[in-house]
Amino acid sequence: MSIWDVLARHGKELIEHAATRLQFHLSTDPVPHLWVDILTRNVPLARGLTPHDQERLLRVARLLLDEVPFEGCDGVEITEDIRVTIAATAALLVHRLPYPRFTKLVRVLVYPDTFLPVRARSWHDVAVEEPEATLGQAWMSGVVVLSWSAVQRDATSAASGNVVLHEMAHILDAEDGIFDGQPLHDDPSQGERWAATLEREFAIQRAAVEAGEDAPLNDYAARNHAEFFAVATEAFFCTPDRLRDRLPDLYLQLSRFFREDPSASSVPA
Ligand SMILES: [Zn+2]
């Protein structure tokens, strides 16, 4: 049984003890040179990491790749480029946490370009759908659907959003069985602070959008708490200075959750 299975079964109870298990399961074998090249080329958000942290990021990505099958749709042939780009970008969300977190992720489907919305298989397998439902989807059952062209579009340092971070944030959110913008926190008091901040800052976002004002986040974040968390996660990694300026409390809580401060490493304007 892998740590993935253990965490999926026992969740919260094991989180405190998972750090040492992860260290045990994170192979110390060097990652392939090709992976480092792909990271350099396709994951600009990792360029600020030290070589040591980049290597660890790729080891976390390997953990994900070992556990989660990738499937090409509509003619996509799954390549190392596709696998490593998506897994390393996803790993940005969790590589500073003391345990792996994509316990609910069971499969990644990759389409060449925009795709028609996929229907959930049953009423209880809720899918989180995107604006035109064409670039990415996350299902409660742990399926993530991505457009490779959208992933590539976001693989530039000028990108203000990132579809992989968005959908994987939904998967983090779904770990407790509900899309509500509240991921599992290892410290319960942190969870309470997060819930209070989420309520307050979501209200600010929704009021700005309804008034037609310049909202702190992409308008889509006003749709519900789940989308607010996913869009805020994109902003935290892609445009951290703006997020810190507009919603400083939210930035602080995200910084505690993801255990980093991307704004601090940004080049001052
Ligand atoms: Zn979404």
Side-chain angles (χ1 to χ4, degrees), residues 247-265:
L247 297 173
D249 289 347
L250 184 73
Y251 181 88
L252 177 65
Q253 296 307 325
L254 287 169
S255 184
R256 286 179 176 156
F257 179 71
F258 290 116
R259 303 191 185 207
E260 67 173 299
D261 185 1
S263 180
S265 59

Side-chain angles (χ1 to χ4, degrees), residues 128-130 166-167 170 220 226-227 230:
V128 176
E129 298 188 7
E130 307 314 332
H166 183 107
E167 303 308 333
H170 281 316
Y220 191 59
E227 295 307 340

Side-chain angles (χ1 to χ4, degrees), residues 55-206:
E55 177 118 2
R56 191 169 191 287
L57 180 81
L58 287 172
R59 288 198 175 123
V60 174
R62 179 161 56 195
L63 196 63
L64 189 154
L65 289 171
D66 285 348
E67 299 285 343
V68 180
F70 280 50
E71 190 178 316
C73 303
D74 283 358
V76 168
E77 187 180 329
I78 297 296
T79 60
E80 283 297 89
D81 227 38
I82 292 176
R83 280 162 37 90
V84 174
T85 301
I86 292 172
T89 305
L92 284 168
L93 297 181
V94 296
H95 74 116
R96 294 188 193 281
L97 307 185
Y99 41 82
R101 287 296 293 260
F102 295 122
T103 56
K104 295 283 187 184
L105 185 63
V106 296
R107 186 171 292 272
V108 175
L109 306 184
V110 184
Y111 281 77
D113 207 328
T114 53
F115 55 88
L116 289 173
V118 183
R119 278 189 182 281
R121 285 173 202 154
S122 62
W123 65 270
H124 54 79
D125 185 12
V126 182
V128 176
E129 298 188 7
E130 307 314 332
E132 285 95 31
T134 50
L135 302 178
Q137 264 188 340
W139 293 31
M140 180 58 76
S141 59
V143 177
V144 161
V145 193
L146 293 165
S147 147
W148 176 234
S149 67
V151 174
Q152 289 175 299
R153 178 203 64 201
D154 293 341
T156 66
S157 47
S160 60
N162 188 291
V163 68
V164 177
L165 294 181
H166 183 107
E167 303 308 333
M168 294 300 176
H170 281 316
I171 295 296
L172 282 181
D173 183 9
E175 275 186 325
D176 56 0
I178 182 169
F179 286 124
D180 61 354
Q182 307 220 35
L184 287 175
H185 294 267
D186 42 348
D187 172 1
S189 65
Q190 192 193 355
E192 287 164 21
R193 283 194 296 272
W194 170 255
T197 303
L198 177 72
E199 277 304 329
R200 192 175 56 247
E201 310 276 64
F202 176 73
I204 293 171
Q205 170 75 12
R206 177 165 268 185

